[in-house]
Amino acid sequence: MRIVFMGTPAFAVPALEALVAAGHDVAAVYTQPPRPAQRGKQPQASAVQQAAERLGLPVRFPVNFKDEADREAFAALGADVAVVAAYGLILPQAILDAPRRGCLNIHASLLPRWRGAAPIQRAILAGDTSTGVTIMQMERGLDTGPMLLTAETPVDAKTAGALTDELAAMGAKLIVEALARDTLSAEPQPAEGVTYAHKIDKAEAALDFSRSAPEVERAVRAFNPAPGAFTLLGQERLRILACDVVDASGGPSVTLDDQLTIGCGTGAIRPTLVQRPGKRAMDVAEVLRGFPVPAGTRLG
């Protein structure tokens, strides 16, 4: 099948690789252009661009599809289908209609729950017990199209990074399965249960210890690896990469012992993996040996 692939982050890479491995003809790969990144602020190719170039596939970077030339170039590819995975651009109707079988989206939630930009983080923050992947026929609405295939997995105690990797692999398998079928029954999304996964604001990563300990622990997992949950220890920003909920109580934001146990609105958390500015991630015990934090220390 002749395919146009559209994606940007690492989440989309397994799907692209799986489509190539399945023998599909990937006519072009669309992705976001290189953007300044890291300390040097040098332009960095997206994960999908890097994968496409490794696979010898042509890559395109339209700023948007308002330009008639970009729409014509897309249509001229003569694709049977476009596969979209976290591309980062809203597709106009002309693009949605150009491929013979339209555009299929790999979405990292069980629709209609968590439509939008950050479904994985929002599922963890909300305490969802399960999530999954939906292959959806795209239409103009935000993740509103009919569903073709779904797969489910437990959230358990996974970080956003681990859950992203798992869902990416699931999505790759599902999209290959979807394209292998001659016909697929498109099921409209239920009207009930719609939620929106708004984009993560970096300010959300500042831990709010007035919340319950389970909520704080979920925030730590949801923001790992990015943007990274943190609190202030004096003038120093301390990233908390992993923690346990413990049976203790005390004032919110105050350390309850010399092991960095932190009181929350209800209960407490004990960080297990932290990172100080300019340092590598370390076990809390290792940090405290050279940087003691006495009981009664106020954070934030």
Side-chain angles (χ1 to χ4, degrees), residues 3 11 52-53 75 95 192 200 202 218-219 235 288 296:
I3 293 172
F11 171 81
E53 291 174 347
I95 298 299
E192 301 295 325
I200 299 296
K202 288 184 179 180
R218 293 199 299 264
Q235 298 300 310
L288 293 177

Side-chain angles (χ1 to χ4, degrees), residues 209-210 231-236 250-257 260-263 293-300:
F209 293 109
S210 69
T231 189
L232 294 179
L233 180 54
Q235 298 300 310
E236 183 173 298
S253 303
V254 175
T255 57
L256 308 182
D257 54 26
L260 202 61
T261 302
I262 306 167
V293 180
T297 302
R298 180 168 293 277
L299 305 175

Side-chain angles (χ1 to χ4, degrees), residues 123-128 212-223 243:
I124 295 173
L125 286 169
D128 290 4
S212 70
E215 288 177 294
V216 173
E217 188 272 340
R218 293 199 299 264
V220 168
R221 288 189 288 114
F223 301 136
C243 69

Side-chain angles (χ1 to χ4, degrees), residues 19 22 71 73 104 158 177 254 259 264 285 292:
L19 291 169
R71 296 196 295 270
L104 303 185
K158 299 164 189 169
E177 180 182 343
V254 175
Q259 300 177 59
C264 300

